[in-house]
Amino acid sequence: MPLNNSLPPASAAPETILDGSRFVRACLRQPVDRTPVWFLRQAGRYMQEYRDVRKHHTLVEICKQPEIAAEVTITAAEKLGVDAAIIFADLLLPLEPMGLDFEFQAGEGPVVHHPVRTTEDVIKLRTDRAADLAYVAKAIEKVATHFKDRLGIIGFCGAPFTLASYMIEGGGSKNYIETKKMMYNNPSAWKMLLDKIITVLVEYCRLQVEAGADVIQIFDSWVGALSLTDYRAYAYEASERLVKEVQALGVPVIYFGVETAGLLGEMASTGADVIGLDWRQPLNEGWASVGHGHAVQGNLDPITLFAPQEILQERVHEILRAANGRPGHIFNLGHGIVPGTPVENVQAVVKMVREFKL
Ligand code: CP3
């Protein structure tokens, strides 16, 4: 993997590491003064400041107004004292320039009005309008201007499988029947769909990197629905291509999925710099499956944030001990913060990570 190999093997962390470079250095497995920390869905409904903004704007309105998206991103990162800020956007935004309308229905999650089911549906999808997503880049520019080098700035997109599953199912899914039907029964449409998604996502990521994203996270949130055999047959190649094309833009890539214990080695073969781990296996076991030639991110169960401080601290320390000071660990949750999470517990985790000594 070119990025990792081209970097000098720093033997000791510099004495003063700016918070932003601490996160990026860890992505590249360079030594750092302490483990960097940020949280999946760190800006969201668990935070009063976000709920206040949401009273006046829909989710998509927030995403499309760079001033507001930047403010939401910055407010959350500053309130928590994390080492990285993930841009406030949504996985589904690229569907619109591809020609698919969607909305977020209260309590229902996303709904795509005319799901992609046939070859003709795939043919109709457009790949020439990624520039319509420039509003996300504008928000990144504002966040980058605000933080300068103090925090790492994370841009993101969905992985081909996960985005395709939303397009085909028309929303979230339990069994991914329609998605798997297309994979198995119409492999040429499936392949064309993934190719089109990649074309749009590479342009979208280019906009984000040019605007100041230091790292891109690729969310393959629902890839755990696939067996290892099907991951290899229907998802791996597209993920690998996206990872490589995003790295060619000059940034490290974090590749994240949930319920992926059986897929980790294969996910690492995409060449992603960092693999996101969920909480279902101990961090050291996940890291061993990934291989120590990659960094890892994770992996506290987000629901632990509802536990009393002693249990929370035990779990946080367990993860940090499992990482054992090896360069290339970024502390995070195994999946996103859920509504109702006490903000003070999230802040407490930041303090625990900052103060931890092996
Ligand atoms: O700080 C942050 O991480 C917020 C930025 C962010 C959002 N969505 C805003 C959002 C990010 C990184 C995402 C990514 C995203 N979107 C993923 C991948 C992450 C993951 O959890 O695996 C997925 C699968 C989506 C699609 C999506 N968006 C769903 C399924 C839902 C509904 C679920 C729910 O909790 O209601 C959303 C809505 C959404 N996107 C919210 C936020 C803050 C909550 C709804 C709201 O504010 O109305």
Side-chain angles (χ1 to χ4, degrees):
M1 220 295 307
L3 264 174
N4 284 353
N5 295 342
S6 62
L7 282 154
S11 53
E15 278 181 357
T16 47
I17 286 184
L18 291 166
D19 285 348
S21 61
R22 178 182 298 118
F23 165 70
V24 178
R25 286 177 63 91
C27 291
L28 298 168
R29 291 185 301 123
Q30 297 177 341
V32 287
D33 53 350
R34 64 165 175 78
T35 305
V37 52
W38 69 280
F39 300 91
L40 296 171
R41 292 279 176 106
Q42 64 192 22
R45 286 166 297 182
Y46 77 107
M47 215 177 245
Q48 184 62 51
E49 291 83 344
Y50 178 75
R51 291 198 300 273
D52 289 343
V53 175
R54 272 289 270 122
K55 276 183 205 148
H56 308 288
H57 306 278
T58 66
L59 174 62
V60 174
E61 278 169 14
I62 298 173
C63 296
K64 288 189 173 175
Q65 296 184 50
E67 194 69 50
I68 306 177
E71 181 203 310
V72 167
T73 306
I74 293 166
T75 303
E78 290 190 332
K79 183 159 179 156
L80 299 176
V82 285
D83 296 297
I86 185 163
I87 190 62
F88 192 88
D90 196 82
L91 216 61
L92 297 184
L93 297 175
L95 269 58
E96 195 178 76
M98 293 186 79
L100 294 176
D101 289 334
F102 66 90
E103 63 179 314
F104 289 97
Q105 292 179 353
E108 300 278 324
V111 177
V112 180
H113 295 302
H114 302 284
V116 172
R117 295 285 164 85
T118 65
T119 305
E120 292 66 42
D121 294 338
V122 178
I123 289 171
K124 271 194 266 165
L125 293 173
R126 289 182 61 168
T127 57
D128 58 337
R129 294 194 294 198
D132 290 5
L133 298 165
Y135 54 84
V136 176
K138 288 220 174 64
I140 290 179
E141 243 168 62
K142 289 182 189 299
V143 175
T145 304
H146 177 87
F147 283 126
K148 306 211 166 52
D149 291 332
R150 282 192 293 130
L151 263 74
I153 295 168
I154 307 170
F156 73 89
C157 67
F161 172 81
T162 290
L163 265 195
S165 82
Y166 275 113
M167 293 176 164
I168 298 168
E169 301 292 337
S173 178
K174 188 156 180 275
N175 293 316
Y176 298 90
I177 294 172
E178 296 301 329
T179 307
K180 292 185 180 184
K181 268 163 63 181
M182 188 186 288
M183 276 169 25
Y184 299 133
N185 298 303
N186 195 350
S188 62
W190 174 253
K191 187 174 178 312
M192 196 196 323
L193 176 57
L194 297 188
D195 284 347
K196 286 188 156 192
I197 289 172
I198 293 169
T199 301
V200 173
L201 292 183
V202 171
E203 282 314 303
Y204 180 37
C205 289
R206 185 191 314 281
L207 295 173
Q208 297 189 55
V209 170
E210 283 171 0
D214 299 306
V215 172
I216 294 285
Q217 172 147 335
I218 298 175
F219 283 95
D220 216 348
S221 303
W222 314 134
V223 75
L226 294 178
S227 68
L228 179 58
T229 304
D230 283 344
Y231 181 74
R232 284 180 177 143
Y234 301 106
Y236 170 79
E237 197 266 335
S239 283
E240 185 197 25
R241 190 141 48 92
L242 180 61
V243 166
K244 296 266 158 44
E245 295 209 26
V246 175
Q247 285 171 334
L249 302 172
V251 292
V253 168
I254 305 171
Y255 182 31
F256 166 82
V258 182
E259 296 196 74
T260 52
L263 304 178
L264 289 174
E266 219 63 19
M267 289 173 71
S269 299
T270 61
D273 300 84
V274 186
I275 300 295
L277 303 174
D278 73 32
W279 65 94
R280 291 177 177 83
Q281 65 182 154
L283 180 120
N284 51 330
E285 287 178 20
W287 205 343
S289 304
V290 164
H292 294 136
H294 299 261
V296 291
Q297 177 171 280
N299 71 343
L300 185 72
D301 176 354
I303 310 307
T304 317
L305 292 164
F306 291 85
Q309 295 282 311
E310 314 80 74
I311 296 182
L312 188 54
Q313 176 157 322
E314 259 176 42
R315 299 295 186 272
V316 169
H317 285 184
E318 184 189 351
I319 290 165
L320 290 164
R321 277 197 304 271
N324 198 26
R326 178 182 284 122
H329 175 224
I330 298 146
F331 192 96
N332 206 313
L333 306 174
H335 204 176
I337 296 179
V338 303
T341 298
V343 176
E344 58 277 16
N345 287 357
V346 186
Q347 292 166 320
V349 170
V350 173
K351 190 159 182 282
M352 290 167 194
V353 176
R354 281 173 177 268
E355 292 173 356
F356 179 79
K357 295 269 177 304
L358 260 183

